[in-house]
Every structure is written in C-alpha cells, then in structure tokens.
Amino acid sequence: MKDTFRGGVHPRERKSLSREMPLRVYNAVGEMVFPLAQHIGKPAKAIVKKGDTVTVGQCIAEADGFVSANVICSCSGKVKAVEKRRTISGAMQECVVVENDGLYTGTSDYSVRDNPDALSVEEIIARVKAAGIIGLGGAGFPTHVKLMPKTPLGVKYLIANGAECEPYITCNDQLMRAYSDEIIEGMEIVLKVFPNAEGVVAIESNKPEAIAAMEKAVQGHDRIRVMALRTKYPQGGERSLIKAIAGIDYPVTKLPADVGCIVDNVGTLYAIRQAVLYREPLFRHPLTVTGEAIANPCNFIVRDGTSFAELIQAAGGFKDGKEAVKILSGGPMMGVSVSSIDVPVTKTTNAITALTEDAVERAERQMTACLHCGRCTTVCPSGLMPQMMAEAAEIRDYDRYEKKLYGLDCVACGSCTYICPAKRPLTQTFKQIKAEIMARKRAAAAGGNK
Amino acid sequence: MEIILTTTIVITVIGIIVGAGLVFMGKKFHVDVDEREAAVRECLPGNNCGACGYAGCDAAAAAIVAEEAPVTVCPVGGAAVATKIGGIMGANAEPVERKVAFVKCRGTCAVTKNQGAYTGIRDCRAAVLSGMNLAECDYGCIGLGSCAAVCPQNAITVTDGVAKVNEARCVGCGLCVKACPKNLIELVPESKFVRVECSNRDKGPFVKKVCTAGCIGCGICAKQCGSDAITVENNLAHVRYENCILCGKCVEKCPAKVILPRKAEEPETKSA
C-alpha cells in the first residue's frame, strides 16, 4: 500500500489564511433560502406552502424517489414563498424561502442521547435518511443510498475523508481538531452497517494538529486507524483515496461500494453521529470563508440557507472595502464561480473563496496552441491523456473520446488545466464534451424506448 | 513452337473457366440497383449537412428511394428540389415553403443587463455548463455564437449580444437549432413574418425586471387574433404559423412590442 496515488499537482495551499481560526457558530439573520435540489438525484418535493410556520429541524421538502434527500429547515419563522430563486449553479431553481424570525425555536434541543448498541442497521439507515444527510464533500450523493450497497458484507474499507486537498479550505481541519471523538463515534456507527470493514481516517500530512487529534481519538477503537497521506491535489478525490488506501483502480461505470470501499467526508460522519444518536437532522455544517479579498478569513458552522453576502459580512466583509474580482463556491480547483453573492449556502457548500484576481481571464490572455509537452498526462490522477482527449473534443469525435481515450473517466479535478503551460482550458472542454456525450446517450435511450 | 501452343491452350482454358465463374457469380450475387437513387442523389444539394436526419445526401437519397423518407425530406433544397425528386419518384410533391431559422430573443445590451463576466471557452454550451448566465434573463441569448459557428452558410452573426439570422442566406438546415443550449432558435416558414421574439416563460413582473423587451404573457395578442393563430402558454406567446394570415393586429396591440413584423428582406451582406 502506498500513501498516495499516481499523478497529481501541488497548487499553492493558501490554507494559512484561515487554518488557525476555530469553528464558530454563525446564526443568520436575514431570509433563508432552501433549494430543493441540493443533492445528486431527483429534487425533493416541497411539503410546506406559503404562510406555514416552520421550526428548526423541520423537514420542509421530502425525498422524491430512492436517490433523493430531505431538505431540512435551519431556522424558525414563516414560509415566505416557494418560488424560483437564483442558486449557486447560476440557474433559477425551485426554492423554499423562509422569513427567519431569529428565535431558532425547535421541537428538540437534540441533547437526549440514544444508546448506539441498541439500534438496528435498518434504524440507523432510517435515521440517516430522515435527517436528509448527503455527502458533504461536494458531490452531494445521498448518504442513506451509500449505506445500502448490494453487498454490505463485501465492504472492506470505510474511509473517513479528511484529506481536504483543495487549496484555501480549512473547515474540515478545524472540525477534526475540535470534534475528533464525535467523528470516530460516527465511524463506529457506520462500521455497524459494514461488519467486515476496517475504518481508515485519511488526512493529508499538511494537517499535523488534525492528525494528532484523530490519533488520540482512535485509541481504544481497534477497527479504526489514522493514515497520513502525502499532501498532493486531488488526494481527497474518492478515486485517489481508494487508490492510496486500498490500492484499487476501478472504472467509471462502478461505484466505490462495488470495489469494497465506502468513502465519507468527516463532516458527513459527524452529521451521521448527530442524526443517529441525537436525532438531529442535517441543517448546519462547517464552512470556510476565505480568500485574499476577505478581511478576516475564518471557519464557521453555518446554517443551510444563509446567503453568501451575509457570510462574507460575518467574515469582516471585503478587504479594504474593495469588491472581490471573483467569488467561488468551493475552492479554486473545483469550485464554481458565482455571478451574484445573493445565493444561499446549500448542504454541499464547504467554502466561499473570494479572490482578488481572475486567473481564468489571465489564462485566456496567455493561451497558446498545445505544445504537446505531455505534462497533463503525467499529472492526471485517472491516468488519462488530456492532450489527446482535447484534440478529440475539438473535432467532436465522441466515439474516440469515450471508447479509445476513456474520457468519461475524467473526474474534472482540474490538474491538467493547472499544469498546462499553454494555458488551455482543458477541464472545461472535458466537462462540456462529457455533458454532450451524456445528452446524446439520453437521446439515444429515449429514441430506443419509442 | 510447342511452348507457344501449350501456353495458348492453357490461357484459353483458364480464361473460359474464370469467365464462366464470373458469369455464375454475377447472376448469383446480383443486387438490384435502383437507377432512381443516383438520379435522386443528383437532385440533392450535396453539401451533406445532415439536416434531414440522415448521414448525408447519399443516405437521404437511399431513404427516399426506399420510401422511408418523403420526397420533401431535404429542408435545404426546399420546394424546387422536392418537385424534381417528386418527378423521379412519380410522387406528387406537395409544395413546401422554405423555412428559415429565427432567434426568439432580442435581449440586446440595450434592453437587458449582464449578470456577471464570463471567462472561459467562448462557446454558449460551455458557458451554460459553467453556470454563469451572461444576461440577467435565464431564457435569453448568450451571445457567444455557438449557432454562428455551426452555420454552414455564415448566415448568423452575433451583434450587440444577440444572434441574428440573415434570412436570405439561411438554408433552413437546422444545425443552429440543435447547437443552441437555450433552445432559442426555431425554423419558421419564410413568409410568416409575424413572430414572437422572446422565449422567457416567467411571469410578467419577473420578465420586466430582467429585460425591457420581453414577452409578459398578457395575452392581448391572443384576444386580438381573429384566426386563432396565437396562443399564450407558460406566460409566452407563440404564433401558429399555419393559421396566421399576417393581418398584423397582434403586432399593433402588443404592449411589450415583442411581436415584430420582420422587414420583408434584409439586404444581402457581403460574404464573409
């Protein structure tokens, strides 16, 4: 077993901006917006309507189908509207808008602890589902689905993802320092579901404090160990972790569970612990507000639905009153830029990064033709050849892209774009052509059904 | 002398055997070639644009002869080609009106604002995927010219943030219709110049907020229309071209001035 994967890059970390800032709870004051599609899969169905009174922890939209998740209200107040609002993705999406009364009244204060040994596997999964927990790492895959693979006995590894390889972001670092015992408790609960699995807490070596805290917490838990991984982007990607810990490569058509691995973000495991032991649904999570354009970068525990603008204010606003050039939801490698800061935080938002320079614009100015240097191939964690994929993409040779070059295995980590000396927008090209291939497949499937 | 004789006999015998074999094979594996296919292929424009839905003009000709496709299958050739093919096939070609592409948006920089600066690949589809909406309006033209890039006739230009079709050059192949990620482009009969130049399906006040030239779905046009040629669905008016008699009443009454009578013909611009 190695401590890392093939390829990868070393972007400047910039974690020092916020890494020593402890998590602090931020309670929003303005209106709260809850998009119905915060997860992968079918959007949830709103079960409240305009004028309804809602409380903290109340389910305001129910999962619609198997791969879907509940949406939980994070404040108390009156439902102002169920309407289309702009969300992080830039599109208008159906959202529940709640006028926050600032009292945060709830039905429970989540202090009654249940005995984890008395709970059956079904009960654990049911509680996770009711809590609306989804993967907090970014993709937002509903966690209850992850806990129900076809062969639970075949799962060999439960990986707690604390790698946090994305530059700037530090909230999971802080979470592991402050709540190490709780995360381990969450892991023990999940290990009950997978009796043959070994728990591995994966942390990049650039977080010595978090590693020490977790090492201390795992003492006495003989099924769990801590593993320090080499600091390299994208170490925290699901595939990179499985490669580094289990030594397994697997095709894009398979899920981690098919190769005996379950990967959960440390934040998700903390949420699982809260949901199963205290019946606390997922309505708040750690988040970093950072970047050169932020006056006091810091780590928060925020309630879902808080607007970006409010959180930026809570972090001291923009430095010197100058508006940021670019604001990202997430980090600079995989985050998406937002066109407005009047968008709500969703369950998967782990950072707000405000930058003073738009690197994409600069890259666009400096872009030249491909030099065929092959650096992109050396850094690709999926072992692909981005340079040839880009050529196939340019002439829209979908078959070559998919079947000869395995372009659908691209995880869009951005390493190739980062390393490219010709400043070619490789990742964006791949994202686009992947979307086009998927659209073609959907069209072909629809045609076949007729 | 003997050598020459032997050689001649051997060659002759081989020739007879091979000849007989060829005749036999020719009969056995005979494929009927429809002469009409070549004739139909001659009539088609031959730019292999694929707008008919077949792989190219050859495939389209084969489909026409096999009677899988109607004689009017070629949208580029229009009525003239359809008549010719009809003559070959013995079918009576219904005259088809030439169709032209029409961009259902007039959200120029003057009437709608930009929401954020997009940087990245200059392609509408890439921009949509990135989540950045260039314009405030979610339905409107992005203006990065994916349609113009696929147009084989250079008939589309992006001016002032909105794509515009030069109808004189457009051959109605429909490639731009497929390229537009916002589904803004529609093929319309050339003569029906009364068209709704907006695609926003939001309610009136929301439209007003983002664009001063948008359809507010008030329905006045539908009430004015005497020939049931205009409907308002999902807060957006749409003309039923087969019913429209070009009376122009809707144009007059539209409060948002979004139903525009097109000028009869735009002057042909110099070829790019």
Side-chain angles (χ1 to χ4, degrees), chain B residues 14-73:
Chain B
I14 290 176
I16 290 167
I17 294 171
V18 170
L22 278 176
V23 170
F24 172 72
M25 291 294 181
K27 289 263 189 249
K28 171 122 180 153
F29 295 103
H30 178 71
V31 179
D32 279 317
V33 179
D34 201 328
E35 282 162 19
R36 294 180 300 172
E37 195 177 316
V40 170
R41 173 67 188 78
E42 271 309 292
C43 300
L44 291 170
N47 50 357
N48 291 322
C49 65
C52 52
Y54 293 93
C57 291
D58 284 341
I64 293 171
V65 173
E67 293 185 0
E68 279 164 12
V71 293
T72 54
V73 72

Side-chain angles (χ1 to χ4, degrees), chain A residues 85-266:
Chain A
R85 285 291 183 100
R86 198 165 300 286
T87 57
I88 291 167
S89 74
M92 303 292 271
Q93 276 179 355
E94 208 61 25
C95 297
V96 175
V97 185
V98 177
E99 187 63 58
N100 182 5
D101 61 11
L103 301 173
Y104 294 104
T105 46
T107 43
S108 157
D109 58 354
Y110 311 115
S111 59
V112 185
R113 184 186 162 100
D114 288 350
N115 180 9
D117 300 325
L119 296 171
S120 68
V121 169
E122 288 74 30
E123 177 64 19
I124 290 174
I125 293 174
R127 286 190 184 187
V128 168
K129 185 173 181 190
I133 297 179
I134 60 174
L136 296 182
F141 193 76
T143 301
H144 65 271
V145 181
K146 235 186 215 178
L147 296 182
M148 287 190 279
K150 277 175 231 131
T151 51
L153 294 178
V155 174
K156 293 272 176 288
Y157 291 100
L158 165 69
I159 301 170
N161 185 356
E164 201 163 58
C165 58
E166 183 86 32
Y168 287 96
I169 307 177
T170 55
C171 57
N172 280 347
D173 185 358
Q174 282 297 334
L175 183 80
M176 286 187 286
R177 291 193 210 180
Y179 297 97
S180 51
D181 293 322
E182 286 82 350
I183 293 167
I184 297 298
E185 260 182 347
M187 284 184 84
E188 285 289 359
I189 291 165
V190 180
L191 284 173
K192 270 174 73 94
V193 181
F194 305 112
N196 294 336
E198 180 199 4
V200 181
V201 184
I203 309 172
E204 272 192 347
S205 56
N206 62 354
K207 291 179 260 300
E209 298 90 346
I211 293 174
M214 294 307 288
E215 289 275 13
K216 207 171 141 213
V218 293
Q219 269 164 32
H221 297 268
D222 44 358
R223 284 177 72 192
I224 305 175
R225 64 187 162 99
V226 176
M227 193 165 162
L229 301 172
R230 203 180 300 170
T231 303
K232 189 165 74 172
Y233 179 87
Q235 186 67 73
E238 201 166 61
R239 285 158 180 280
S240 310
L241 277 179
I242 291 173
K243 177 73 187 160
I245 290 165
I248 302 170
D249 275 313
Y250 60 102
V252 71
T253 47
K254 285 192 173 172
L255 288 173
D258 298 335
V259 293
C261 295
I262 299 287
V263 182
D264 272 319
N265 184 272
V266 286

Side-chain angles (χ1 to χ4, degrees), chain A residues 200-398:
Chain A
V200 181
V201 184
I203 309 172
E204 272 192 347
S205 56
N206 62 354
K207 291 179 260 300
E209 298 90 346
I211 293 174
M214 294 307 288
E215 289 275 13
K216 207 171 141 213
V218 293
Q219 269 164 32
H221 297 268
D222 44 358
R223 284 177 72 192
I224 305 175
R225 64 187 162 99
V226 176
M227 193 165 162
L229 301 172
R230 203 180 300 170
T231 303
K232 189 165 74 172
Y233 179 87
Q235 186 67 73
E238 201 166 61
R239 285 158 180 280
S240 310
L241 277 179
I242 291 173
K243 177 73 187 160
I245 290 165
I248 302 170
D249 275 313
Y250 60 102
V252 71
T253 47
K254 285 192 173 172
L255 288 173
D258 298 335
V259 293
C261 295
I262 299 287
V263 182
D264 272 319
N265 184 272
V266 286
T268 317
L269 288 162
Y270 177 73
I272 290 174
R273 180 240 187 203
Q274 295 299 104
V276 174
L277 298 185
Y278 298 93
R279 292 171 178 269
E280 179 190 323
L282 174 63
F283 58 80
R284 50 187 172 189
H285 64 270
L287 179 144
T288 306
V289 182
T290 183
E292 280 82 13
I294 297 286
N296 308 310
C298 50
N299 299 302
F300 289 116
I301 288 192
V302 295
R303 290 169 186 268
D304 294 339
T306 310
S307 85
F308 273 37
E310 220 183 307
L311 285 169
I312 290 171
Q313 271 316 312
F318 293 119
K319 202 183 258 178
D320 310 327
K322 264 186 271 174
E323 189 139 327
V325 172
K326 190 156 194 150
I327 297 168
L328 304 165
S329 160
M333 293 299 280
M334 288 197 75
V336 291
S337 65
V338 293
S339 45
S340 152
I341 53 172
D342 292 319
V343 290
V345 166
T346 66
K347 296 178 198 172
T348 53
T349 316
N350 54 2
I352 298 170
T353 311
L355 304 175
T356 45
E357 187 188 16
D358 187 349
V360 180
E361 193 201 4
R362 193 181 52 187
E364 218 170 37
R365 279 202 311 272
Q366 299 174 347
M367 187 171 83
T368 65
C370 173
L371 313 173
H372 294 93
C373 65
R375 280 207 210 171
C376 46
T377 308
T378 61
V379 299
C380 180
S382 305
L384 304 173
M385 296 190 283
Q387 160 206 333
M388 300 185 75
M389 281 155 63
E391 277 171 18
E394 225 144 87
I395 55 167
R396 292 284 179 277
D397 190 341
Y398 297 108

Side-chain angles (χ1 to χ4, degrees), chain B:
Chain B
M1 189 61 197
E2 202 177 306
I3 295 171
I4 292 174
L5 203 67
T6 328
T7 317
T8 317
I9 292 167
V10 168
I11 296 288
T12 316
V13 171
I14 290 176
I16 290 167
I17 294 171
V18 170
L22 278 176
V23 170
F24 172 72
M25 291 294 181
K27 289 263 189 249
K28 171 122 180 153
F29 295 103
H30 178 71
V31 179
D32 279 317
V33 179
D34 201 328
E35 282 162 19
R36 294 180 300 172
E37 195 177 316
V40 170
R41 173 67 188 78
E42 271 309 292
C43 300
L44 291 170
N47 50 357
N48 291 322
C49 65
C52 52
Y54 293 93
C57 291
D58 284 341
I64 293 171
V65 173
E67 293 185 0
E68 279 164 12
V71 293
T72 54
V73 72
C74 179
V76 177
V81 166
T83 328
K84 267 199 237 165
I85 299 175
I88 297 164
M89 294 294 296
N92 221 355
E94 295 272 317
V96 222
E97 198 189 337
R98 194 171 83 99
K99 286 194 168 183
V100 290
F102 169 63
V103 183
K104 293 183 282 180
C105 177
R106 52 194 289 252
T108 54
C109 305
V111 293
T112 183
K113 283 194 297 287
N114 272 5
Q115 196 187 63
Y118 167 78
T119 46
I121 299 174
R122 312 304 288 172
D123 181 292
C124 303
R125 287 164 292 184
V128 166
L129 275 178
S130 81
M132 289 297 272
N133 277 328
L134 279 179
E136 288 258 287
C137 172
D138 273 347
Y139 302 90
C141 180
I142 298 165
L144 292 175
S146 285
C147 49
V150 297
C151 181
Q153 303 291 327
N154 289 332
I156 305 180
T157 45
V158 178
T159 31
D160 216 7
V162 178
K164 223 174 169 64
V165 179
N166 180 340
E167 291 183 7
R169 294 176 138 239
C170 178
V171 293
C173 68
L175 288 178
C176 50
V177 177
K178 287 177 200 151
C180 180
K182 295 280 185 187
N183 295 324
L184 285 179
I185 310 180
E186 182 185 39
L187 290 177
V188 299
E190 192 187 7
S191 69
K192 307 287 179 171
F193 53 77
V194 174
R195 300 164 193 170
V196 181
E197 216 173 355
C198 179
S199 299
N200 195 315
R201 291 183 290 279
D202 279 338
K203 291 199 175 102
F206 291 101
V207 181
K208 281 267 178 214
K209 231 186 267 172
V210 296
C211 181
T212 54
C215 173
I216 52 174
C218 61
I220 291 177
C221 49
K223 279 185 208 121
Q224 289 296 320
C225 185
S227 45
D228 190 27
I230 204 158
T231 49
V232 179
E233 258 175 56
N234 297 330
N235 308 310
L236 178 65
H238 193 265
V239 179
R240 284 195 203 134
Y241 299 108
E242 65 274 17
N243 288 359
C244 178
I245 53 163
L246 308 176
C247 65
K249 275 189 204 155
C250 53
V251 178
E252 240 168 69
K253 294 285 177 183
C254 177
K257 300 278 170 249
V258 72
I259 311 178
L260 288 188
R262 278 290 172 118
K263 280 168 218 112
E265 196 71 324
E266 281 151 34
E268 169 88 358
T269 49
K270 268 186 199 159
S271 58

